[in-house]
Amino acid sequence: MKSALKNMTVAEFRDRLSDDTGKPPVILLPFGSTEQQGPHAPMGDYMLAEALAMEVADASGAIAAPCVPFGYAEFFRAFPGGIQLRAQTFCSVVEDVAGAFLDHGIERLLILNGHSTNSFLIDQVVRKIRRETGVALASIDLWRAIPPSLWQDVHGGNAAAARGHGGDPITSLSMYLYPDLMRPDLIRPAVPHSATGLPIAGANAVQFEDMTVNLPLNADEVNPDGMMGGDATLASAEIGKRIFEHLTGVCTRFVAHMQTCDPRDLDVKARA
């Protein structure tokens, strides 16, 4: 049974919508980005969300739509090769992709978001869709879905040092899924920088005394190599395998849960 929408004929897709189970399949909508991930990892990080979506579809009986390879990545515009969508463009893309299924009464849609900065825009769109159609779309921010216990398990005391842009989870996942595309010889350290004479605190802020002050910093100002916090020397294919298996497992189980739910009735109840 085919799991990728791109490989199906329209007749095959129609058959999947009306199969003997009586439950239309969940449609997976993967989103990612094309942006720098440090000098050692491929810029097409959307390939990770795509691979996860395909694995979940194969395991769960869901159907994976083609991955949208561009996201809201204004912060990384200073690096050549990246492709950024404006916020309003990205919102329109999410709405149009979801609408292509909703127009046909296909309502069990699950967004698998492989670029964390997309998250707040996805939330805006799915709230708009619910207001206008009554359908609640679920979404999972894949990298934020990695639990602290797994970070601790795979990195031990180095969990905080390994985590961040240029490091994990992207580097380990890329080592596991696309080892031939990696350039470990180009790994650089995440050297701290300053702005306005103050230490940079994260991607878009500086630290003043015990207060964080937001600034519209560009990625190359935070680190000219694109290494913004994660120590890529701590990454490995084995760690990538553990993360991949965890995420595909929990997403597969969530797809099974979605099959039991009505996206028009969230059945919200108080918990004892």
Side-chain angles (χ1 to χ4, degrees), residues 47-49 51-52 172-180 237 240-241 244:
M47 296 186 295
L48 305 179
L52 281 158
S172 285
L173 280 165
S174 297
M175 286 177 167
Y176 172 56
L177 292 170
Y178 304 106
D180 293 342
K241 182 175 186 288
F244 185 80

Side-chain angles (χ1 to χ4, degrees), residues 15-25 108 259:
D15 288 345
R16 289 289 302 278
L17 297 179
S18 57
D19 63 16
D20 295 336
T21 67
K23 294 181 179 179
R108 286 187 172 87
Q259 290 282 21

Side-chain angles (χ1 to χ4, degrees), residues 30-48:
F31 285 80
S33 184
T34 300
E35 65 184 42
Q36 69 82 21
Q37 291 292 340
H40 59 281
M43 288 191 289
D45 67 25
Y46 69 87
M47 296 186 295
L48 305 179

Side-chain angles (χ1 to χ4, degrees), residues 79-134:
F79 286 92
I83 301 174
Q84 306 84 21
L85 299 182
R86 290 168 292 174
Q88 60 268 37
T89 304
F90 179 78
C91 288
S92 294
V93 169
V94 175
E95 186 172 4
D96 287 351
V97 169
F101 296 97
L102 295 172
D103 285 349
H104 295 276
I106 304 167
E107 298 183 347
R108 286 187 172 87
L109 307 178
L110 174 59
I111 295 172
L112 298 179
N113 176 35
H115 177 58
S116 297
T117 314
N118 291 339
S119 179
F120 76 102
L121 295 175
I122 289 172
D123 181 70
Q124 290 182 26
V125 175
V126 298
R127 289 180 181 279
K128 179 176 184 287
I129 289 172
R130 190 182 183 195
R131 284 198 308 272
E132 295 178 353
T133 70

Side-chain angles (χ1 to χ4, degrees), residues 5-252:
L5 178 61
K6 65 182 181 181
N7 294 333
M8 295 180 181
T9 71
V10 66
E12 290 173 328
F13 184 66
R14 284 175 177 150
D15 288 345
R16 289 289 302 278
L17 297 179
S18 57
D19 63 16
D20 295 336
T21 67
K23 294 181 179 179
V26 172
I27 307 296
L28 306 178
L29 307 179
F31 285 80
S33 184
T34 300
E35 65 184 42
Q36 69 82 21
Q37 291 292 340
H40 59 281
M43 288 191 289
D45 67 25
Y46 69 87
M47 296 186 295
L48 305 179
E50 185 176 57
L52 281 158
M54 283 306 308
E55 186 74 11
V56 172
D58 287 340
S60 67
I63 295 173
C67 184
V68 176
F70 312 124
Y72 179 67
E74 184 65 28
F75 176 63
F76 298 107
R77 186 175 290 277
F79 286 92
I83 301 174
Q84 306 84 21
L85 299 182
R86 290 168 292 174
Q88 60 268 37
T89 304
F90 179 78
C91 288
S92 294
V93 169
V94 175
E95 186 172 4
D96 287 351
V97 169
F101 296 97
L102 295 172
D103 285 349
H104 295 276
I106 304 167
E107 298 183 347
R108 286 187 172 87
L109 307 178
L110 174 59
I111 295 172
L112 298 179
N113 176 35
H115 177 58
S116 297
T117 314
N118 291 339
S119 179
F120 76 102
L121 295 175
I122 289 172
D123 181 70
Q124 290 182 26
V125 175
V126 298
R127 289 180 181 279
K128 179 176 184 287
I129 289 172
R130 190 182 183 195
R131 284 198 308 272
E132 295 178 353
T133 70
V135 178
L137 274 63
S139 66
I140 297 173
D141 294 323
L142 292 169
W143 316 141
R144 294 173 179 169
I146 303 170
S149 59
L150 182 58
W151 281 108
Q152 182 67 29
D153 193 25
V154 298
H155 278 297
N158 292 321
R163 187 175 185 175
H165 194 90
D168 268 351
I170 300 299
T171 297
S172 285
L173 280 165
S174 297
M175 286 177 167
Y176 172 56
L177 292 170
Y178 304 106
D180 293 342
L181 302 181
M182 297 296 291
R183 288 291 305 275
D185 57 305
L186 297 180
I187 287 176
R188 300 287 185 270
V191 179
H193 282 61
S194 63
T196 69
L198 299 171
I200 290 176
N204 300 298
V206 292
Q207 193 70 29
F208 181 78
E209 298 179 2
D210 59 354
M211 177 177 64
T212 298
V213 180
N214 297 322
L215 281 177
L217 296 170
N218 296 317
D220 63 337
E221 294 172 323
V222 177
N223 185 283
D225 290 314
M227 304 296 297
M228 287 168 281
D231 184 349
T233 65
L234 299 172
S236 72
E238 178 57 33
I239 291 173
K241 182 175 186 288
R242 292 281 306 279
I243 293 173
F244 185 80
E245 290 176 346
H246 172 82
L247 288 175
T248 54
V250 69
C251 290
T252 296

